[in-house]
Each structure stands twice: as structure tokens, then as C-alpha cells.
Amino acid sequence: MKETIKKIYFILIIIMFFHCWGYCSDAMDRSFSMIFYVRPPGQTYGTGDGSSWSNAFSNLPKNLIRGSKYYMAFGDYDLGPFTTYYEYHSFNDPEEDELYIGIYKATQQDHGTDQGWNSSLGAGNAHLGTISFTTGYYVIDGQWGEKDQGYGF
């Protein structure tokens, strides 16, 4: 009898492990219902509605949309009025269930649409000023790099 109970516990542990593994894998591969494109401030890109690289936002919008992914091109985004401290972006978008907002550095391998894309948009780092978080459920992904090498944030 004890041997049977041990086997049942063992099977339950294995089932829980694979269930949690699947849950964690799903959490890592978040799906976003909308994708937006962001280029550095200083000029207007097409319509500026964020729908493609040709019509990219000129800077990260102040209010972000839950369930959306934002690809950012390389460039300087920390253009502010102060030289010693400038808060580039405050991530304070209201939480909605467990919907995430994804901020991804665009790369040649992962940049969303090809409309308006050219490899120079992913050819360097995206330099951000200070950022702060007052709400959760964000994914910030520089894609790849280490220390001062690579093309991240």
C-alpha cells in the first residue's frame, strides 16, 4: 500500500512539473495582439501612427496599450531638458488582468514588419534615459548583447 501511494505521489509530482513547465514556457512566449514601431524623436515618420517602420511613432508614447508590443529602433531616446537627470519614461499604464506590454529592441532577426524596415534601424543600441515603473506586467527585451557589446538598450 505504501509503495502504491509513493508511486501516485511521484506521478503527481511529474504531472505538476510538466504542467508548470508548460505554463512557464507559455509565459515566456507572450503573444501580443497589436504591434507598434518606434523611432527616435526629432522628426515625423510618415503618418506617425506606429503602424509600420514607415509610419513609426516619433518616440515611445506616454500612454502604452496593454497587450501590445513596441519595437524600438536604435538611436537616442533620452533627449530631455536636463543633462544630469531626465526620466525618459514612467511605466505607469493601468494593469488589465495579466496583459503585458512588450518593449523590444528591434534587430535584423526580430523587427516585426518589413514595411519601411532597413537594417540600419537595428544596427545599434537604443539609448534610453532613466525609466521608472509604478505598475507591473512589462517585458523589456534588449534582444541580445552583454555589457557594452550588442544591440540592446
Side-chain angles (χ1 to χ4, degrees), residues 61-82:
K62 181 177 179 171
N63 299 307
L64 304 176
I65 299 171
R66 290 274 166 197
S68 297
K69 183 177 195 176
Y70 294 81
Y71 279 109
M72 295 184 75
F74 96 98
D76 290 318
Y77 293 87
D78 58 350
L79 305 173
F82 309 107

Side-chain angles (χ1 to χ4, degrees), residues 53-119:
W53 290 109
S54 302
N55 298 309
F57 291 130
S58 177
N59 214 344
L60 194 62
K62 181 177 179 171
N63 299 307
L64 304 176
I65 299 171
R66 290 274 166 197
S68 297
K69 183 177 195 176
Y70 294 81
Y71 279 109
M72 295 184 75
F74 96 98
D76 290 318
Y77 293 87
D78 58 350
L79 305 173
F82 309 107
T83 56
T84 56
Y85 173 82
Y86 176 67
E87 185 172 301
Y88 167 66
H89 193 86
S90 177
F91 292 92
N92 58 5
D93 307 283
E95 292 179 8
E96 185 179 329
D97 297 320
E98 292 184 6
L99 287 176
Y100 280 76
I101 294 173
I103 309 296
Y104 287 74
K105 168 59 184 68
T107 65
Q108 184 61 37
Q109 296 77 22
D110 184 17
H111 57 264
T113 186
D114 284 335
Q115 184 183 357
W117 171 260
N118 68 61
S119 59

Side-chain angles (χ1 to χ4, degrees), residues 7 15-16 27-28 32-33 54 56 60-61 70 102 105 113 143:
K7 287 180 184 179
I15 290 170
M16 288 174 55
M28 295 304 289
F32 297 99
S33 60
S54 302
L60 194 62
Y70 294 81
K105 168 59 184 68
T113 186
Q143 300 279 15

